[in-house]
Amino acid sequence: MAATGIGPGRRVLDVAAGTGNVAIPAALTGAAVVAADLTPALLAAGQKLAADRGASLTWREADAEDLPFEADEFDVVVSCVGAMFAPHHRATADEIVRVCRPGGTIGLISWTPGGFVGQLFATMKPFVAPPPPGVQPPPLWGSEDHVADLFGDRVGGVVAEKRTVRISAFASGAQFRDYFKANYGPTIVAYRGLDRAAELDAELAALGDRALVDGVMEWEYLLWTATVV
């Protein structure tokens, strides 16, 4: 919250908000928050979480590439490992800029290409069909150069900082693999109809084992903030 100045009275949009892991804390600061996501099931789960925590905010079904909001409608537009999964990066960046007022703040958290989740996508790549033309890999949003190219001179005051989050939920690479096979969308898709499942099983377990150090993984992400000019 500190990186984007979210607080009382600020109009905030969380793009690809999922179940509201950013939107709900933002609302609890007193900000006027809209959580937008393409998946109704995630919005429904988020509404329940918000009610349990006493947070008041608006939930909207919305495509990150075609946001149903007016130009300059928000003081702050954020996305935490959400908008990076929209298939067309420039269209998503264009929409984020459009709905954020001049002088407003954009704040993005994205997994980096070289970090653990970027390595996960690289590991799965040989097992999935090539993407349609124009679709770019999600971890590119964790590249400072790529994000700079997407937003260009439409923003200023850019701050880009690589950080890590410590994950201690997995005792082994196999446990990590099994959890992601059951719960993580891109991994579920990679296994769908796959006749080389045993090979991918081994690759993902090995990836997890390499990343585990004393029972902890360090997952790198890019925290990127800027002001709309």
Side-chain angles (χ1 to χ4, degrees), residues 30 41 43 60 67 70 73 86 89-90 110 114 116 127 144 149 158 173 177 184 197 204 206 210 219:
L43 295 174
R60 288 285 302 274
L67 295 169
E70 298 296 327
E73 188 169 339
H89 294 190
R90 190 167 299 281
S110 307
F116 179 78
F127 296 89
E144 294 178 42
D149 177 65
V158 172
R177 176 203 63 210
Y184 190 56
L204 292 182
R210 289 195 299 271
W219 294 5

Side-chain angles (χ1 to χ4, degrees), residues 10 15 32 78-79 90 99 109 120 131 143 153 168 197:
R10 302 278 278 174
V15 178
V78 296
S79 187
R90 190 167 299 281
V99 300
I109 287 177
L120 169 64
S143 163
D153 60 4
S168 58

Side-chain angles (χ1 to χ4, degrees), residues 83-182:
M84 64 180 288
F85 290 100
H88 302 99
H89 294 190
R90 190 167 299 281
T92 302
D94 290 349
E95 282 295 271
I96 288 172
V97 172
R98 182 183 67 81
V99 300
C100 190
R101 67 168 175 80
T105 301
I106 296 170
L108 305 172
I109 287 177
S110 307
W111 302 122
T112 63
F116 179 78
V117 178
Q119 294 174 45
L120 169 64
F121 275 86
T123 300
M124 295 189 297
K125 183 177 179 180
F127 296 89
V128 299
V135 173
Q136 295 174 292
L140 278 179
W141 278 92
S143 163
E144 294 178 42
D145 290 343
H146 182 68
V147 180
D149 177 65
L150 290 177
F151 288 96
D153 60 4
R154 297 179 294 179
V155 300
V158 172
V159 177
E161 183 180 351
K162 287 182 179 177
R163 300 183 180 182
T164 60
V165 58
R166 292 170 60 86
I167 305 296
S168 58
F170 308 111
S172 68
Q175 187 181 25
F176 148 76
R177 176 203 63 210
D178 292 345
Y179 181 85
F180 268 57
K181 280 178 68 173

Side-chain angles (χ1 to χ4, degrees), residues 1-14 22-33 75-79 105 107:
M1 301 302 163
T4 53
I6 291 174
R10 302 278 278 174
R11 301 169 299 165
V12 177
L13 173 65
D14 186 1
V22 170
I24 292 171
L28 291 172
T29 71
V33 178
D75 301 308
V76 182
V77 179
V78 296
S79 187
T105 301

Side-chain angles (χ1 to χ4, degrees), residues 47-93:
Q47 287 177 297
K48 184 178 185 306
L49 290 170
D52 291 344
R53 296 184 60 182
S56 177
L57 63 157
T58 300
W59 300 85
R60 288 285 302 274
E61 186 175 341
D63 185 343
E65 298 179 7
D66 186 20
L67 295 169
F69 306 109
E70 298 296 327
D72 308 337
E73 188 169 339
F74 298 95
D75 301 308
V76 182
V77 179
V78 296
S79 187
C80 178
V81 293
M84 64 180 288
F85 290 100
H88 302 99
H89 294 190
R90 190 167 299 281
T92 302

